[in-house]
Amino acid sequence: MLRGIKKELDERSDLTEIYEVGHIDDLPAEHRRAYLVVCINEFVMLRKNEEIMEILTEITAIGRTLGFFAIHSLQRPSAKNLDTTIHANLTESMGFKLRDVIESRIVNTPGAENIEAEGRFIMNSKKLYELQAPYLTIKRAKELLNPFVVAKGPVKEVTQIAIRDKGGRPLYLVSHP
């Protein structure tokens, strides 16, 4: 999956160089691509794979200009498991209840160690916000995420369809078997 994302990242980078633009939104309409969100749960589990980390670092470092957004999650943040290059390129941080001040500093969400209410979190997006996350049952989460699960078994063919606005500009990308 990440190799396919890396290929798309490289293609978008080539297009911005060919057309000498600084952002994918500035490409000619026929070459614009839909925005993509890459979500990595338990980010720390991938640290041992150098190829994966190189791709994730590249997505995090230059992805925004190419229409990629990265969401990395981890249960127990530490300076050891959050690479400095990736940490430096994260523009927003969200910290739910954290164990202590050190974890709150690592996630860049001061005060997250003091959160009492379930589902509350601190969001750092140039300034701090305390927000409430919506409740989602495990059953409903599985229903929503099931179409996007990548099986460890045989790989199924996936078709991607770009949904476009009236002007032909891609709004988002839908993948289905």
Side-chain angles (χ1 to χ4, degrees), residues 151-156:
K152 292 185 179 182
V155 177
K156 60 183 175 183

Side-chain angles (χ1 to χ4, degrees), residues 98-110:
L98 294 168
R99 283 189 298 191
D100 54 39
V101 174
I102 295 169
E103 286 185 356
S104 293
R105 285 183 189 145
I106 291 166
V107 178
N108 201 21
T109 55

Side-chain angles (χ1 to χ4, degrees), residues 35-144:
Y35 281 78
L36 297 174
V37 179
V38 178
C39 301
I40 304 295
N41 189 26
E42 290 305 333
F43 176 76
V44 71
M45 300 300 290
L46 303 174
R47 302 243 347 123
K48 293 178 183 170
N49 187 313
E50 194 173 310
E51 179 186 9
I52 288 174
M53 288 309 297
E54 282 180 26
I55 294 170
L56 291 177
T57 301
E58 189 172 353
I59 290 168
T60 305
I62 65 167
R64 285 186 308 275
T65 62
L66 300 174
F68 283 86
F69 296 91
I71 299 174
H72 304 299
S73 73
L74 53 151
Q75 292 293 318
R76 295 287 170 223
S78 74
K80 182 177 136 186
N81 63 28
L82 189 56
D83 172 286
T84 54
T85 305
I86 289 177
H87 190 270
N89 284 288
L90 295 175
T91 55
E92 279 84 27
S93 300
M94 296 186 322
F96 287 80
K97 172 70 176 165
L98 294 168
R99 283 189 298 191
D100 54 39
V101 174
I102 295 169
E103 286 185 356
S104 293
R105 285 183 189 145
I106 291 166
V107 178
N108 201 21
T109 55
E113 74 280 4
N114 298 320
I115 293 173
E116 297 294 330
E118 291 288 322
R120 282 308 261 187
F121 65 96
I122 305 280
M123 180 172 176
N124 189 341
S125 180
K126 296 183 183 160
K127 66 182 201 174
L128 298 176
Y129 303 90
E130 187 170 337
L131 303 168
Q132 179 69 41
Y135 178 73
L136 186 64
T137 65
I138 296 294
K139 180 182 178 198
R140 182 65 180 135
K142 286 180 179 180
E143 290 170 1
L144 292 169

Side-chain angles (χ1 to χ4, degrees), residues 148-163:
F148 306 101
V149 171
V150 177
K152 292 185 179 182
V155 177
K156 60 183 175 183
E157 194 63 35
V158 175
T159 305
Q160 293 183 335
I161 303 168
I163 306 301

